Amino acid sequence: MGYFNPEPKRRREDLFNMESELSTLDSGLKRGKLVVVSGLRRYGKTSLILTYLNEKRLDYVYLDCRLLPSGMISLNSFLNLLEEELSRHDWALKALRGVEEVSVGGFGVRFKVRSERSLLRVLHALEGKVLVLDEAQELRRSGYRFDSLIAYAYDHLDLKIIVSGSMIGLLYRFLRINDPEAPLYGRAFTEVKLRKLSDAESREFLIKGFEQEGVRVSDEVINEAIKRFDGVIGWLTYFGFALTTSGEDIDSILDKASKLALSELEHALRVYGIGERRYREVLKIIATLGRARWSEVKRGVEARLGRIPNNTLATIIKNLADSGFIRKENEEYEITDPVLQHGIRKYY
Ligand SMILES: Nc1ncnc2c1ncn2[C@@H]1O[C@H](COP(=O)(O)OP(=O)(O)OP(=O)(O)O)[C@@H](O)[C@H]1O
Ligand SMILES: [Mg+2]
């Protein structure tokens, strides 16, 4: 293992510098039932959660909601994901043996009847454990009210819940904890907010990481990486891994990384269907200008695609900000991820 292993980290010794986040997560789970781990893409959410749970030797069910099908999510596809995860744990097989709604055997766990009632029975059998819903904003794309399910578990079960997401605005739009009309309204929760590394932390991470790999890298390359990857720990890991395994130069690593970021963006924009073109155009203008005011974005989109009503543009900008692709700083919009910005400039 080591810092540059591209998988989410699971062991304390591979996790760089997340002491305070670990302790907030710990106290949040000890004192309450719900912890929200938020952070933009590649800030280390999954690593933090998995390392914590393994370190504490807690039994947990980890559901990566990004693995759910695109389009509308049915209760059935959620049950598939749950079956798969439960089947991986001996403790879960044991806990579910007496539950009438499922069969348990060498094949793992299968729901006999695929209904909400069965799901609730299984959740009851998981009392005392931890349920992790990673990238939970994906659950918004469903006719089934997953927010009600979370509220039910919160109110009636002895179950700790960790909800995590990289599209932070969308995550909170899904949870609606401050909306009096919503099932989770007013429930107490702890938020663990992940942040970027400072330049000094980025340097320390890279130097230690290369030391672990026994690779010597010049100061110049380290400085360049700090500048290009802007404290995003997942990109620094990607860079360290690529450099040590293939010896590529930083420009081609950055190009590859930005293609990856672009394909993730494309995937996320698919939900907007034919509206997607306008989203792309807005991103392109912001990426090209580096920082763009509202009027500049509007003028730019209209020059390419014709008139756009203010409220349509406002919705697009809100969705892009809630998805974490752009942010507003002093009345100007910018792309949050420098690697994505590079990709949009170069390949869009
Ligand atoms: N504290 C850390 N120490 C070492 N490596 C880390 C740390 N945090 C994240 N990484 C590495 O960065 C990459 C992204 O981490 P991870 O998948 O945990 O982040 P994430 O926020 O869940 O990302 P995503 O938004 O893509 O789900 C992985 O390669 C992981 O190994
Ligand atoms: Mg993750």
Side-chain angles (χ1 to χ4, degrees):
M1 278 296 256
Y3 287 168
F4 295 160
N5 187 302
E7 299 287 306
K9 302 301 189 292
R10 289 164 184 273
R11 302 187 316 170
R12 187 68 197 86
E13 62 265 40
D14 296 326
L15 192 77
F16 175 75
N17 197 25
M18 287 192 166
E19 297 301 334
S20 76
E21 290 83 356
L22 283 168
S23 86
T24 312
L25 178 55
D26 185 52
S27 61
L29 280 186
K30 279 186 178 141
R31 269 190 277 129
K33 296 177 97 170
L34 177 63
V35 175
V36 177
V37 177
S38 65
L40 293 176
R41 284 225 63 171
R42 298 187 172 78
Y43 274 35
K45 302 171 295 293
T46 304
S47 296
L48 175 78
I49 296 167
L50 293 179
T51 302
Y52 171 77
L53 294 169
N54 287 326
E55 176 98 330
K56 293 281 169 189
R57 301 184 175 283
L58 294 168
D59 288 335
Y60 61 88
V61 175
Y62 171 83
L63 301 177
D64 181 354
C65 299
R66 269 201 298 243
L67 298 177
L68 291 163
S70 53
M72 283 300 266
I73 293 167
S74 62
L75 180 61
N76 193 39
S77 51
F78 184 79
L79 295 180
N80 290 337
L81 190 65
L82 184 58
E83 281 176 339
E84 214 171 289
E85 167 67 8
L86 290 171
S87 302
R88 299 174 51 224
H89 302 289
D90 285 339
W91 65 261
L93 301 182
K94 222 187 270 169
L96 293 171
R97 229 158 238 140
V99 178
E100 212 181 289
E101 284 76 7
V102 292
S103 34
V104 179
F107 51 84
V109 177
R110 291 283 170 275
F111 283 93
K112 289 183 197 157
V113 183
R114 309 182 77 76
S115 65
E116 178 179 50
R117 193 184 121 87
S118 307
L119 172 58
L120 295 180
R121 294 301 290 263
V122 164
L123 290 183
H124 272 275
L126 298 177
E127 280 199 306
K129 315 295 185 193
V130 183
L131 174 65
V132 184
L133 298 170
D134 201 358
E135 301 299 336
Q137 73 277 342
E138 301 303 318
L139 296 172
R140 77 191 188 283
R141 300 183 280 108
S142 179
Y144 181 75
R145 292 293 300 272
F146 285 102
D147 54 339
S148 301
L149 181 74
I150 298 171
Y152 176 87
Y154 188 107
D155 292 343
H156 301 292
L157 301 179
D158 172 24
L159 196 64
K160 304 280 182 182
I161 304 166
I162 301 175
V163 165
S164 168
S166 49
M167 299 180 158
I168 304 166
L170 293 184
L171 178 65
Y172 282 104
R173 265 204 245 168
F174 162 66
L175 296 172
R176 289 164 55 218
I177 292 173
N178 295 319
D179 175 354
E181 306 286 311
L184 273 163
Y185 175 65
R187 303 300 188 284
F189 71 103
T190 302
E191 181 172 18
V192 182
K193 279 190 199 163
L194 298 197
R195 54 175 187 88
K196 284 200 296 201
L197 301 183
S198 67
D199 285 0
E201 289 167 327
S202 298
R203 181 180 311 280
E204 188 190 342
F205 179 72
L206 289 174
I207 289 174
K208 283 194 180 156
F210 284 120
E211 255 168 37
Q212 290 168 350
E213 303 298 328
V215 173
R216 283 190 61 84
V217 176
S218 71
D219 283 351
E220 199 191 331
V221 170
I222 301 257
N223 288 336
E224 197 55 30
I226 292 170
K227 210 164 81 198
R228 307 272 190 107
F229 298 107
D230 194 32
V232 180
I233 198 160
W235 286 136
L236 293 169
T237 304
Y238 183 96
F239 165 72
F241 181 78
L243 194 78
T244 44
T245 51
S246 70
E248 283 166 275
D249 64 40
I250 190 163
D251 288 322
S252 68
I253 295 172
L254 179 64
D255 281 350
K256 260 197 208 161
S258 72
K259 283 183 185 160
L260 179 63
L262 267 186
S263 72
E264 292 164 358
L265 171 69
E266 297 277 330
H267 181 81
L269 293 186
R270 240 175 265 156
V271 297
Y272 301 114
I274 50 164
E276 194 189 321
R277 268 192 78 196
R278 282 172 161 168
Y279 281 82
R280 278 167 154 266
E281 210 48 52
V282 168
L283 288 165
K284 210 159 133 183
I285 290 154
I286 296 173
T288 309
L289 294 178
R291 296 212 162 121
R293 303 181 75 85
W294 168 276
S295 56
E296 293 172 312
V297 177
K298 185 162 156 90
R299 223 178 303 132
V301 177
E302 293 193 329
R304 309 260 318 191
L305 302 176
R307 209 182 105 64
I308 181 168
N310 278 340
N311 58 353
T312 307
L313 182 59
T315 304
I316 292 172
I317 286 186
K318 179 169 173 22
N319 286 337
L320 287 173
D322 283 352
S323 305
F325 295 123
I326 63 172
R327 72 171 151 237
K328 193 175 182 181
E329 282 273 321
N330 306 323
E331 298 307 308
E332 289 180 311
Y333 300 97
E334 59 189 26
I335 308 287
T336 49
D337 179 353
V339 173
L340 180 63
Q341 182 185 32
H342 175 85
I344 296 173
R345 281 183 174 173
K346 188 156 179 182
Y347 300 108
Y348 242 28

